[in-house]
Amino acid sequence: MAIFNDYKAAIFATLNADPLLTGRIFQVLNQEQPYPKLWIEDSGAVDWSDNCQAGLNAEISVHIGSKYAGDKEINAYMQACHNRLHQQNLLLLETQCVLCQYAGHTVFFDPDGVTRHAVIRFSLLISE
């Protein structure tokens, strides 16, 4: 099983297919990118494979940065991510399939006191 990058790439493709999110998801962040912006963090995985089947339990975090004065914008982006990923079966390479589940979220202000930062966590059950 190719355990690295496949599920992160599937998350990226799924989110990037949403009209609100298209062009807002970055792999490398810099200050010149416009807000709102999103990035995906691989939060780790545990192999549950046995002699008969291969699989992983993985965690993905989607980060959203917004400079909008209220919470309307960040909530819309969080909802779009939830709609695209929660309880979805994502297809990966090599005939793997993934069940993606919403696991929780946190919203806080970055140290600049202006940028709202949301972190939405998803659990992935990956099997071949």
Side-chain angles (χ1 to χ4, degrees), residues 3-87:
I3 63 171
F4 298 105
N5 295 320
D6 287 352
Y7 58 87
K8 191 172 175 182
I11 296 288
F12 180 85
T14 301
L15 292 177
N16 211 34
D18 187 286
L20 181 65
L21 306 176
T22 300
R24 298 276 181 198
I25 308 165
F26 300 97
Q27 294 182 21
V28 177
L29 294 177
N30 64 51
Q31 295 300 320
E32 290 78 40
Q33 294 159 336
Y35 283 88
K37 56 184 161 185
L38 291 83
W39 60 100
I40 302 166
E41 176 184 47
D42 185 342
S43 300
V46 176
D47 189 340
W48 58 261
S49 301
D50 59 23
N51 289 339
C52 300
Q53 195 173 12
L56 293 172
N57 287 328
E59 296 276 328
I60 285 284
S61 297
V62 178
H63 293 257
I64 304 166
S66 170
K67 290 195 180 278
Y68 184 81
D71 59 2
K72 182 179 178 179
E73 182 176 75
I74 206 158
N75 286 345
Y77 279 81
M78 289 171 52
Q79 188 65 55
C81 291
H82 184 274
N83 291 348
R84 284 287 174 169
L85 296 176
H86 180 59
Q87 294 186 339

